[in-house]
């Protein structure tokens, strides 16, 4: 069984479309949260996952948009939250609000969280990955850092597919992964997308221009 794994779309429809077009044939798709925030296509990104029935967990930006609270965010993040709340309809907001912090799929073999199994808002960078993060599942999928990485342990795999819509590992290409549950292997993928189009859309939406310009650096 091959599973496509994505995270941290952050309202970037252009990057999401590129990832979905580039992704090889998969049997299922899962998302480790932060569907919205920052970029100006929150509704299109919500609909892309909702209409496909993609198992998704709630990221911190998803929660902020769903609840209307972004007091701890910087100005860029706060602007993205406000924009998403203004542009999502009631059904889209309800879908976000209904996302769980954690879910287990594929007969308990894959656990999906946003940040860390013990705290959905905890940043877990690659050097923090550890075998004891696994709790009986074969694969732990997480996001939040926007840094693509995976590690193999005797007990299974810890996998961050990287950021679809706002990579932060120095590579501006949209990131995702494919997971082979039969062979217990991971392939990390990157794909180019039209960053200039996103920059224009950010500006036209009245969002902080740094939201678009930072995409060129992958930071």
């Amino acid at each position: 069984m091959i599973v496509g794994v994505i995270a941290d779309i952050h309202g970037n429809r252009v990057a999401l479309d590129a990832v979905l077009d580039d992704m090889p044939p998969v049997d299922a798709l899962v998302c480790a949260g932060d569907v919205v925030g920052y970029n100006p296509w929150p509704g299109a990104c919500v609909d892309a996952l909702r209409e496909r029935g993609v198992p998704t967990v709630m990221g911190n930006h998803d929660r902020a948009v769903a609840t209307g609270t972004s007091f701890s965010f910087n100005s860029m993040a706060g602007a993205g939250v406000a924009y998403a709340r203004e542009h999502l309809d009631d059904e889209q907001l309800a879908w976000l609000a209904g996302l769980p912090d954690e879910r287990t799929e594929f007969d308990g073999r894959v656990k999906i969280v946003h940040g860390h199994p013990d705290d959905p808002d905890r940043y877990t960078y690659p050097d923090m990955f550890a075998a004891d993060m696994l709790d009986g599942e074969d694969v732990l999928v997480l996001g939040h850092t926007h840094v693509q990485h995976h590690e193999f342990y005797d007990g299974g795999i810890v996998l961050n597919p990287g950021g679809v819509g706002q990579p932060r590992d120095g590579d501006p290409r949209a990131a995702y992964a494919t997971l082979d549950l039969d062979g217990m292997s991971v392939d990390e993928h990157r794909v180019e997308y039209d960053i200039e189009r996103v920059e224009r859309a950010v500006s036209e939406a009245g969002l902080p221009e740094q939201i678009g310009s930072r995409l060129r650096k992958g930071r």
Side-chain angles (χ1 to χ4, degrees):
M1 183 174 191
I2 308 297
V3 181
V5 186
I6 59 176
D8 298 295
I9 300 165
H10 281 299
N12 189 337
R13 182 187 68 185
V14 181
L16 178 60
D17 286 347
V19 162
L20 295 176
D21 288 345
D22 184 73
M23 189 176 291
V26 297
D27 299 299
L29 180 65
V30 299
C31 178
D34 271 355
V35 181
V36 300
Y38 291 110
N39 295 291
W41 296 284
C45 293
V46 166
D47 289 346
L49 299 193
R50 187 176 61 157
E51 291 167 3
R52 289 172 171 82
V54 177
T56 304
V57 296
M58 181 180 285
N60 56 316
H61 288 253
D62 303 326
R63 185 183 308 108
V65 171
T67 61
T69 56
S70 59
F71 55 87
S72 63
F73 286 0
N74 62 37
S75 59
M76 278 194 301
V81 167
Y83 183 91
R85 279 193 62 81
E86 182 180 345
H87 288 83
L88 293 177
D89 63 28
D90 289 344
E91 289 186 359
Q92 292 163 335
L93 284 169
W95 182 84
L96 278 182
L99 294 176
D101 288 335
E102 175 185 304
R103 63 192 310 154
T104 304
E105 302 290 331
F106 315 116
D107 297 321
R109 296 192 63 192
V110 178
K111 181 186 288 186
I112 310 162
V113 300
H114 184 58
H116 187 280
D118 295 335
D119 179 355
D121 293 338
R122 183 190 303 179
Y123 288 96
T124 310
Y125 289 95
D127 63 354
M128 301 174 183
F129 286 12
D132 62 7
M133 293 170 64
L134 294 157
D135 186 26
E137 68 276 1
D138 292 331
V139 182
L140 173 66
V141 172
L142 47 80
H144 200 29
T145 63
H146 306 204
V147 176
Q148 188 180 62
H149 190 71
H150 69 279
E151 288 284 350
F152 294 97
Y153 300 98
D154 289 341
I157 302 170
V158 178
L159 165 63
N160 187 326
V164 169
Q166 193 191 78
R168 295 181 186 169
D169 53 9
D171 185 340
R173 296 174 298 169
Y176 70 98
T178 49
L179 166 67
D180 183 341
L181 280 177
D182 297 321
M184 286 296 285
S185 63
V186 174
D187 288 321
E188 297 178 352
H189 302 264
R190 306 302 284 241
V191 59
E192 304 270 2
Y193 70 96
D194 191 347
I195 292 176
E196 185 175 340
R197 180 182 170 195
V198 181
E199 288 181 300
R200 289 197 304 269
V202 165
S203 180
E204 290 167 2
L207 289 163
E209 291 194 7
Q210 190 180 352
I211 289 174
S213 63
R214 71 183 295 176
L215 297 175
R216 293 189 176 276
K217 300 177 182 178
R219 295 291 184 190

